[in-house]
Amino acid sequence: MSIRHGLLTLLERGPRYGARLRSEFESRTGSTWPLNVGQVYTTLGRLERDGLIAQQGADRAGHVLYALTEAGRTELRAWFARPVERMSPPRDELAIKLAMAVGAPGVDVREVVEVQRHHLTEAMRTYARLRARALAPAPRHRDEVAALLVVERLIFRAEAEVRWLDHCEALLLRLARAAATEPPPVGGRP
């Protein structure tokens, strides 16, 4: 998730201070990815260092306002124009866990799969409640529509992960059956 570009997008609408950016980011993403206000200010510092934003005075309450620079607008347009990279995916803890569980002494891989499946079922229930709340009444404001898109992405991702777990379980069962029918190794070695 690009907090950096998310903040740039929010600043395109006009100058904002850090806590307001945090609130707007969370509203736009349906509060599914809470931000620490320190993380926001650290990111703002980097964006300012990189010339993508600049301080633009303060509001009546004394909050420092940040505004998008022309370089920031250019970066934002470039971000929206390029695809999200999939050739170098981030490490996936679940895939690593299952890969390590295969053959690990005392680990039942199918139990690891089942625990994750149960967790995903609970997560999907939570996401379904969030979706129902977002749909009743029909979303009208851009933040409501944006939050609905994020929640539906989480639902689709969880559903895909459940399908992958089903596939892993079926593959493990097939391999276990095949191993059970193999003749014993020659010379008594595994």
Side-chain angles (χ1 to χ4, degrees):
M1 167 182 66
S2 179
I3 295 166
R4 172 185 174 94
H5 291 98
L7 296 180
L8 288 175
T9 301
L10 295 171
L11 286 170
E12 190 170 40
R13 301 200 47 189
R16 306 273 194 282
Y17 57 91
R20 181 172 175 193
L21 286 165
R22 174 182 174 249
S23 174
E24 289 181 12
F25 183 93
E26 289 181 356
S27 176
R28 188 74 57 93
T29 60
S31 299
T32 55
W33 293 302
L35 289 180
N36 176 304
V37 75
Q39 183 180 18
V40 171
Y41 281 103
T42 298
T43 304
L44 288 172
R46 289 183 185 134
L47 290 169
E48 187 175 21
R49 176 200 67 202
D50 295 344
L52 303 177
I53 65 170
Q55 290 186 22
Q56 193 176 59
D59 66 5
R60 290 181 186 187
H63 300 113
V64 174
L65 297 173
Y66 295 88
L68 201 58
T69 64
E70 194 52 45
R73 280 185 186 76
T74 300
E75 171 60 24
L76 192 54
R77 284 190 297 273
W79 180 61
F80 280 120
R82 68 180 170 259
V84 174
E85 183 60 47
R86 295 293 187 221
M87 298 309 291
S88 305
R91 288 183 182 95
D92 181 319
E93 184 178 354
L94 179 58
I96 293 169
K97 182 186 276 190
L98 289 180
M100 295 299 136
V102 172
V107 177
D108 181 349
V109 183
R110 287 180 296 189
E111 181 62 27
V112 174
V113 167
E114 190 52 40
V115 165
Q116 187 67 26
R117 185 183 288 115
H118 176 74
H119 170 74
L120 287 167
T121 301
E122 292 301 314
M124 287 192 297
R125 285 186 186 123
T126 299
Y127 300 152
R129 283 192 296 274
L130 290 172
R131 179 198 290 164
R133 244 184 274 150
L135 289 172
R140 293 188 190 115
H141 187 269
R142 74 178 157 269
D143 285 353
E144 293 170 334
V145 172
L148 178 61
L149 292 175
V150 170
V151 168
E152 288 193 335
R153 170 67 169 146
L154 294 172
I155 290 168
F156 293 150
R157 180 175 281 163
E159 289 171 345
E161 191 167 297
V162 167
R163 286 192 309 274
W164 179 71
L165 288 171
D166 292 344
H167 168 77
C168 290
E169 188 173 47
L171 177 63
L172 290 167
L173 287 171
R174 271 196 318 273
L175 293 174
R177 278 190 221 116
T181 60
E182 286 182 12
V186 176
R189 291 187 199 161

